[in-house]
Amino acid sequence: MIVVAIDGPSGVGKSTVGRALAASLGVPYLDTGAMYRAVGLLARRKGLPLPLTGADEVGELAERTEILVTGSGGDVKTFLDGEDVSAEIREPEISRYASAVAAIPRVRRRLAARQREMALAGGGVLEGRDIGTRVVPEATAKFFLTARPEVRARRRYEELVRKGTPQELASVRAEMEARDAADSSRADSPLSCDDTYVVVDTSDLDAERVVERLLQAVLGSRTG
Ligand code: DC
């Protein structure tokens, strides 16, 4: 069974690369960030403010709501108790909520357990912040993707333009850096990398090259 962990901050290309790698390996792809986004959406719908209050309430909500992330390739969908929330969870405000709920240990426990179950059921490429450190430390291969901040901000900016919801580049960058700082400094399972990871700087590589590199490393680690 193949389990690949792809961790790293936002805007490094984890989703594009993760989907393509999963397709090449013929295993499921799991965007774990979508699950935190779904819980973030629950918190916003409850009318909770940011900075977030009501950690217990959010933890309980996460435990009793069915969160499903399905599909691969271009057709990845997220459901909350059967409701398709795939578009809504991509709103910039939900990014902030997602990062806030991701700091709540009860939320992390619940989501990480589900992610681990899914990974061990049929293998997969899992993308997130703590996949190789907490969710599946025994993964076949672990990759930590990085890119220069200006490159990451531009990618995110272009994605927003493509989606028809443009924002100023400077504010995209400021928001991204604030979220990455929060994700890297929280007490429970912060974004981090150790020497069991292969670090890949994607700043000057297109997605195909990154996928090629990862694919070689995965296949190498299986035979070697
Ligand atoms: O990858 P993303 O931007 O969709 O993730 C949304 C937020 O969820 C991100 O700010 C950090 C959090 N997250 C996490 O804490 N652990 C994961 N495995 C995946 C995402």
Side-chain angles (χ1 to χ4, degrees), residues 7-11 14-15 31-37 89-90 94-103 108 115 127-131 135 179-180 183 186 188-189 191:
D7 290 312
S10 47
K14 295 192 300 291
S15 299
D31 172 5
T32 65
M35 298 174 79
Y36 289 93
R37 287 172 178 273
I89 59 165
R90 298 295 156 194
I94 299 302
S95 302
R96 294 193 288 276
Y97 271 98
S99 184
V101 301
R108 299 206 70 82
Q115 292 156 13
E127 172 223 313
R129 305 291 188 289
D130 61 340
I131 306 304
V135 177
R179 187 151 68 95
D180 289 337
D183 294 338
R186 66 179 176 230
D188 188 347
S189 328
L191 169 66

